[in-house]
């Protein structure tokens, strides 16, 4: 992927995103839309998955047909909201391996601190897609990418629903080699680190915790 940031402007993506942003959308509706939107974005972010060919017999004749090459993709959820994006991708790529990164923000240093990390083996040979619906300050996203690189990953992409200009700039600064795919580059962050116009707290909306 040559561009650092890809905003998917497909009409279905934009329509579903509007429904997700609307505060009147129910928890069930939000979850369903998140799964659908994630699939549409996953289509874009997996565009460069390597292909090889295999010999098959169609009912008509033998052919050399394209098939995905290499090790299975690794999908990494940045907890907790990233979990809401797993099902959508896994429906498209059922054989993907799945990892998790848990980070919390230290209230004194304001820096992300790792509390959980579990990744599939052989990360260096896999395309890795890190998922988190909201790229806000970029602090936890950048820290999660640091951990994945430390674990050997060298072909990482970042999939989110919404990105802030601040988050994109931070990622570009710290991880210029990690392409970002999103449904929207929103206007700004507020002083609490929420994206505007945004969609609120993605975790609370998908899990119904508020
Ligand atoms: N996380 C969220 O869930 N929403 C935001 O707007 C920013 C970070």
């Amino acid at each position: 992927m040559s561009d650092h940031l890809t905003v998917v402007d497909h009409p279905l993506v934009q329509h579903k995103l509007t429904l997700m942003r609307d505060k009147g959308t129910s928890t069930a509706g939000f979850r369903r839309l998140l799964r659908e939107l994630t699939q549409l974005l996953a289509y874009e972010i997996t565009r460069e998955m390597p292909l090889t060919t295999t010999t098959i017999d169609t009912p008509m004749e033998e052919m050399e047909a394209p098939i995905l090459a290499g090790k299975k993709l690794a999908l990494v959820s940045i907890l907790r909201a990233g979990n809401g994006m797993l099902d959508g991708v896994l429906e498209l790529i059922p054989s993907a391996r799945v990892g998790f990164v848990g980070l919390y923000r230290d209230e004194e240093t304001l820096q992300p601190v790792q509390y959980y990390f579990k990744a599939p083996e052989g990360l260096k040979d896999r395309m890795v897609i890190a998922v988190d619906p909201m790229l806000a300050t970029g602090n936890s996203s950048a820290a999660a990418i640091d951990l994945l690189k430390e674990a050997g990953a060298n072909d990482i992409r970042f999939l989110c629903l919404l990105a802030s200009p601040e988050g994109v700039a931070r990622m570009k600064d710290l991880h210029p080699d990690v392409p970002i795919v999103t449904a929207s580059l929103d206007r700004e962050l507020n002083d609490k680190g929420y994206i505007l116009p945004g969609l609120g707290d993605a975790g609370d909306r998908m899990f119904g915790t508020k």
Side-chain angles (χ1 to χ4, degrees):
M1 229 171 222
S2 54
D3 292 338
H4 183 251
L5 179 71
T6 302
V7 179
V8 180
D9 60 0
H10 190 286
L12 279 177
V13 168
Q14 295 306 314
H15 175 81
K16 288 177 191 293
L17 180 59
T18 297
L19 299 179
M20 289 190 79
R21 289 185 193 272
D22 189 331
K23 68 179 184 184
T25 296
S26 67
T27 303
F30 190 89
R31 257 187 228 148
R32 180 180 47 79
L33 287 160
L34 179 59
R35 198 186 68 244
E36 293 170 359
L37 242 174
T38 302
Q39 291 190 330
L40 296 168
L41 297 175
Y43 177 81
E44 186 62 38
I45 208 164
T46 52
R47 189 174 278 286
E48 287 165 4
M49 281 176 87
L51 288 173
T52 181
T53 59
T54 185
T55 310
I56 58 166
D57 293 308
T58 79
M60 309 303 289
E61 62 179 26
E62 187 179 285
M63 80 173 280
E64 276 294 296
I67 189 166
L68 291 173
K71 280 209 174 187
K72 310 287 186 225
L73 179 138
L75 187 60
V76 177
S77 164
I78 302 176
L79 298 173
R80 80 180 152 145
N83 282 12
M85 298 177 78
L86 291 179
D87 285 353
V89 184
L90 288 173
E91 273 174 30
L92 285 183
I93 314 170
S95 57
R97 307 309 195 226
V98 182
F100 298 89
V101 180
L103 299 159
Y104 70 89
R105 195 164 72 141
D106 183 292
E107 290 307 327
E108 285 190 358
T109 64
L110 301 182
Q111 290 308 307
V113 181
Q114 172 194 333
Y115 66 86
Y116 191 75
F117 183 80
K118 185 85 181 173
E121 58 185 31
L123 276 192
K124 74 174 175 37
D125 302 317
R126 302 180 190 276
M127 178 187 280
V128 177
I129 301 180
V131 292
D132 187 346
M134 311 298 271
L135 175 55
T137 62
N139 288 338
S140 56
S141 312
I145 303 294
D146 282 337
L147 292 170
L148 291 170
K149 286 183 174 174
E150 277 165 29
N154 56 33
D155 178 9
I156 310 175
R157 284 130 218 267
F158 188 85
L159 185 60
C160 59
L161 277 190
L162 296 186
S164 73
E166 295 87 339
V168 170
R170 184 144 179 83
M171 286 285 277
K172 186 160 192 175
D173 195 24
L174 298 176
H175 298 296
D177 56 317
V178 175
I180 299 166
V181 171
T182 187
S184 175
L185 178 59
D186 271 16
R187 193 180 68 244
E188 61 183 350
L189 290 181
N190 71 8
D191 57 4
K192 294 202 163 59
Y194 278 79
I195 298 177
L196 299 175
L199 51 72
D201 187 303
D204 282 342
R205 293 198 62 191
M206 75 181 74
F207 297 122
T209 38
K210 231 174 213 166

